[in-house]
Amino acid sequence: MAVNWYPGHMRKARKQIKERMEQIDLVVEVLDARIPFSSENPLVAELRGNKPCITMLNKSDLADPTVTKQWLNYFNKQEGVTAIASTTQQKGQIKKLPDLCRKLLPNRRYSELPIHIMIMGIPNAGKSTIINVLAGKTIAQTGDEAAVTRQLQRVRLMDSGVVLSDSPGMLWPKMGNNNFGYRLAVTGAVKSTAMDYQDVALFAAGELLSLYPNLLMERYKLKELPKDDIGVLEAIGRKRSCLRPGGVVDMYKASEIFLNEIRQGTVGRISLESPETAFIVEEVQSPEDEKLR
Ligand SMILES: Nc1nc2c(ncn2[C@@H]2O[C@H](COP(=O)(O)OP(=O)(O)O)[C@@H](O)[C@H]2O)c(=O)[nH]1
Ligand SMILES: [Mg+2]
């Protein structure tokens, strides 16, 4: 994937978070419920130390509810972690967060002092939207591109005695193995460039073909299931009249439609990884392997 995370920028973010962490009582980590593992940033676990953590599986409205339950079990087993599924479409549910924070800090329950919370997560997970819901007004810009320079948002929620801050710097997504990068691109966490658009769509087609064939059939009114990833995009292209002269499917257009519909959730509620499958590393063939054949 054509994403570069500069070491200097990472070092700076780590230093800033570490400094700020000293005043923090509790960390809220926002993950994308469709890809909880790929949207995690290892720095959060490292820098929070023993502080309690609420792991929000956000955008749960877009994720497969059965898989989200599995992830909740997975995270709730971790030391100091309380996992919840959330969607910013249900504001009432988000507004319960300060109460939950107080519950997790029993010795602060009756204290007058404000509780300091840091909200962390990779770009596009929904942090700013959550902050806005909690503040009851738009104070953080949402839906922005993976912007490197941005202002630190800090808001005091008057009625709950909670001070909420957005993590300083930016937490980069995991790009360790191919699948993480693809899953991040499919969900829109990483912007795919024009060059790899089709590549990302083909990955998504392959995944949906094996994980959610029925959703594909229903959404695109297919009579039979395509044989492979290319077949999926071709079928979508035909259904949506993305044809070039001579009746050839315009694969780029088909890819664009498919990815947009997946991201908006119109294909259905999907999860691209489960606690059992997330850790499987895709085998990358090296030139050496080729020689051995
Ligand atoms: N469907 C859905 N979209 C969400 C949810 N939370 C945030 N979004 C959208 O995701 C995009 C990124 O949100 P934003 O708050 O800017 O993410 P941030 O980069 O973590 O601050 C925006 O277009 C939001 O409207 C959610 O729970 N469900
Ligand atoms: Mg933001």
Side-chain angles (χ1 to χ4, degrees):
M1 310 278 346
V3 178
N4 291 312
W5 303 102
Y6 300 104
H9 163 232
M10 290 188 195
R11 257 198 309 278
K12 194 173 161 211
R14 174 194 290 261
K15 190 164 169 277
Q16 285 178 325
I17 295 169
K18 217 172 161 178
E19 282 167 8
R20 170 122 343 195
M21 197 62 88
E22 285 168 25
Q23 293 117 44
I24 295 297
D25 299 304
L26 182 146
V27 167
V28 171
E29 182 175 26
V30 184
L31 303 178
D32 185 321
R34 296 166 294 176
I35 49 166
F37 188 67
S38 296
S39 63
E40 234 182 2
N41 180 298
L43 253 197
V44 177
E46 181 198 317
L47 295 180
R48 81 176 170 86
N50 304 324
K51 294 183 198 223
C53 176
I54 296 176
T55 297
M56 290 177 85
L57 301 182
N58 194 43
K59 304 199 182 185
S60 60
D61 55 297
L62 301 174
D64 181 336
T66 312
V67 181
T68 299
K69 270 197 202 118
Q70 296 169 4
W71 280 113
L72 288 175
N73 282 337
Y74 170 86
F75 284 109
N76 276 321
K77 280 190 195 128
Q78 293 180 0
E79 184 78 32
V81 173
T82 302
I84 55 171
S86 69
T87 162
T88 54
Q89 290 177 350
Q90 288 176 24
K91 294 198 166 76
Q93 183 202 41
I94 301 283
K95 282 178 185 283
K96 288 183 186 154
L97 193 66
D99 275 348
L100 179 59
C101 295
R102 279 214 178 266
K103 252 188 220 144
L104 294 174
L105 296 164
N107 52 346
R108 299 291 301 278
R109 221 157 175 182
Y110 304 105
S111 158
E112 293 291 303
L113 293 171
I115 287 177
H116 290 263
I117 293 168
M118 180 147 59
I119 186 156
M120 305 177 81
I122 66 167
N124 211 47
K127 299 177 297 298
S128 298
T129 312
I130 291 167
I131 291 174
N132 289 342
V133 171
L134 289 171
K137 58 184 176 203
T138 305
I139 53 163
Q141 216 182 315
T142 61
D144 45 348
E145 299 274 312
V148 174
T149 41
R150 45 170 218 158
Q151 284 211 295
L152 176 70
Q153 307 284 348
R154 216 198 299 201
V155 58
R156 184 169 181 153
L157 308 172
M158 294 318 269
D159 44 358
S160 61
V162 163
V163 177
L164 195 66
S165 47
D166 205 346
S167 65
M170 193 183 68
L171 291 177
W172 55 95
K174 265 181 201 168
M175 302 295 282
N177 93 37
N178 265 348
N179 284 348
F180 300 161
Y182 277 122
R183 288 174 195 154
L184 288 157
V186 173
T187 55
V190 169
K191 297 280 176 290
S192 41
T193 60
M195 281 294 286
D196 53 37
Y197 223 88
Q198 277 187 56
D199 211 19
V200 174
L202 280 174
F203 174 82
E207 293 297 284
L208 263 66
L209 200 52
S210 69
L211 297 171
Y212 301 102
N214 293 340
L215 292 182
L216 280 179
M217 302 280 280
E218 279 163 34
R219 174 68 193 165
Y220 300 104
K221 302 194 168 56
L222 306 177
K223 291 209 176 68
E224 56 184 299
L225 196 64
K227 277 200 297 291
D228 54 16
D229 47 4
I230 295 179
V232 171
L233 288 188
E234 276 176 352
I236 294 171
R238 286 222 172 77
K239 285 283 173 184
R240 297 298 166 88
S241 309
C242 307
L243 299 175
R244 288 205 298 228
V248 186
V249 171
D250 181 337
M251 294 294 264
Y252 182 80
K253 263 201 189 132
S255 300
E256 202 171 41
I257 289 176
F258 186 43
L259 284 181
N260 282 337
E261 295 197 352
I262 288 180
R263 287 174 188 168
Q264 287 160 9
T266 38
V267 177
R269 297 177 70 173
I270 58 165
S271 294
L272 293 174
E273 56 193 20
S274 74
E276 278 94 53
T277 62
F279 309 94
I280 298 167
V281 177
E282 194 170 77
E283 261 186 66
V284 181
Q285 272 188 355
S286 70
E288 302 304 311
D289 294 337
E290 287 295 318
K291 268 186 232 156
L292 293 173
R293 277 161 187 256

